[in-house]
Amino acid sequence: MSLPATHPLGPRLLAAGVATLLLSFAAPASGQTPDPNTSDVDAAPTSVPADGATASTITVTLRDSVGTQLPTGGNTVVVSSDLGSVSPTPATDNGNGTYTATLTSLNAGTATVTAQVDGSIDITDDATVGFTASALRFFAQPTDSEVNATITPPVRVEAIDGAGARVTSFTGTVLVGIGNDPSG
């Protein structure tokens, strides 16, 4: 390849009989390759009822090796969880370097959420979502009782998740109101 002497990349005469060719290289633009160590996996909210309907939104933000958010989409991001259901798969491409999915669960517990990009890049960051009891039910209902008498058996209420399983980690307050059944 030959460039005219007046071209910015053309030969330059440094000394008698010695020429040099100046070359410049631009660093690739941000957005070329997601970096697994700087990309993020986030969840909001981080605590939801385990009712199978209430969702936590999972957002994956792809970043380059210096931590700059990729400016465009085009990657395939699959969000996974060890508890519950993620949808859609793959995650929705928002066209700005972020991808979103939702996570729901019928079962109480803590989900660890991870993401993989383009089938081979495992994001090192993860997120956690706590699924909590979603309902209360009587475990033991009282029988008829006389005024000023002790209720037997004692009223027992338990916290359950959307699948009906007892949530033994429930620590909330339960208020039980006792009323009069006018039907007799």
Side-chain angles (χ1 to χ4, degrees), residues 32-100:
Q32 299 301 312
T33 305
D35 187 289
N37 299 311
T38 59
S39 297
D40 301 312
V41 179
D42 295 302
T46 57
S47 180
V48 294
D51 60 9
T54 306
S56 178
T57 299
I58 309 303
T59 302
V60 177
T61 304
L62 298 184
R63 300 182 186 281
D64 65 15
S65 62
V66 295
T68 303
Q69 181 175 326
L70 302 188
T72 61
N75 298 88
T76 301
V77 174
V78 175
V79 175
S80 301
S81 175
D82 61 356
L83 177 67
S85 299
V86 176
S87 68
T89 299
T92 300
D93 182 346
N94 298 315
N96 63 357
T98 66
Y99 298 77
T100 53

Side-chain angles (χ1 to χ4, degrees), residues 130-176:
F131 288 98
T132 60
S134 59
L136 298 173
R137 71 175 171 209
F138 282 103
F139 181 72
Q141 293 206 30
T143 57
D144 288 340
S145 181
E146 297 295 320
V147 175
N148 296 324
T150 301
I151 297 174
T152 57
V155 176
R156 291 179 58 195
V157 177
E158 64 184 350
I160 58 172
D161 63 20
R166 183 182 299 169
V167 179
T168 59
S169 62
F170 177 76
T171 59
T173 301
V174 177
L175 299 175
V176 178

